[in-house]
């Protein structure tokens, strides 16, 4: 039984994240989406809101769960008894940061293995930051995020 942890900020979840979750859920027995609660950052959506938006997005996937974590990813992995991490790669520009994180995580806890999945080309340009920027100025984010996230963005920005 292999549990893969898919960590991230998910502020908010996008179709790019969902693509990785759906494909990961076909490969691994279980995928746990782990939402980082970072006390040094002020996200648009609270940790509970981010968790709920993801839960609603994955409700049709039987082997996907959503949790939150604070602190180091490797400490969370150890507590969960998991060693597999999934991260999506959109472009070469993602690789440097992701390789650094994967290498540091393995130094901190050698059993950690990070699996990189290329994001589907339809979503290679997509990020939570871009979605927020578009939504903030009233642009159309349909197709970039699930419909309930679109609605949540409209509420946040008072549209
Ligand atoms: O969605 P993001 O913001 O690109 O996700 C980054 C994340 C959450 C995977 C990464 O920042 C992380 O694992 N943070 C927890 C702290 C940690 O363990 N950092 C790695 C060693 S420097």
């Amino acid at each position: 039984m292999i549990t893969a942890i898919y960590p991230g900020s998910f502020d908010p979840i996008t179709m790019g994240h969902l693509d990785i979750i759906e494909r990961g859920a076909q490969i691994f027995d279980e995928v746990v989406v782990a939402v980082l609660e970072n006390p040094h950052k002020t996200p648009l959506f609270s940790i509970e809101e981010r968790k709920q938006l993801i839960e609603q997005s994955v409700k049709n996937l039987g082997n996907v769960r959503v949790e939150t974590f604070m602190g180091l990813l490797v400490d969370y992995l150890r507590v969960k008894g998991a060693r597999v991490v999934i991260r999506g790669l959109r472009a070469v520009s993602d690789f440097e940061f992701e390789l650094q994180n994967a290498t540091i995580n393995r130094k901190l806890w050698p059993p950690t293995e990070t699996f990189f999945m290329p994001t589907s080309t339809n979503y290679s340009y997509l990020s939570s930051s871009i979605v927020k920027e578009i939504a903030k100025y009233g642009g159309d984010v349909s197709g970039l995020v699930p419909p309930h996230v679109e609605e949540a963005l409209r509420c946040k920005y008072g549209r």
Side-chain angles (χ1 to χ4, degrees), residues 7 21 28 35 48 82 93 102 111-112 115 117 131 133 139-142 144 147 156:
I21 295 169
F28 297 102
V35 190
E48 257 321 302
S93 49
T112 312
F115 287 74
M117 294 179 65
V131 163
E133 184 83 359
D140 181 11
V141 293
S142 57
L144 307 183
K156 276 281 171 201

Side-chain angles (χ1 to χ4, degrees), residues 6-11 17 34-36 38 41 69-75 85-87 90 97-98 100-102 104-105 108 128:
Y6 180 41
S9 306
F10 304 104
D11 185 37
H17 295 129
V35 190
L36 176 67
N38 185 345
K41 274 193 184 172
F69 77 106
M70 283 180 93
L72 289 177
L73 177 60
V74 289
D75 290 338
V85 175
I86 310 177
R87 289 289 287 170
R90 288 165 300 187
F97 171 76
E98 293 298 339
Q100 184 185 32
N101 267 5
I104 287 183
N105 284 336
L108 290 171
S128 298

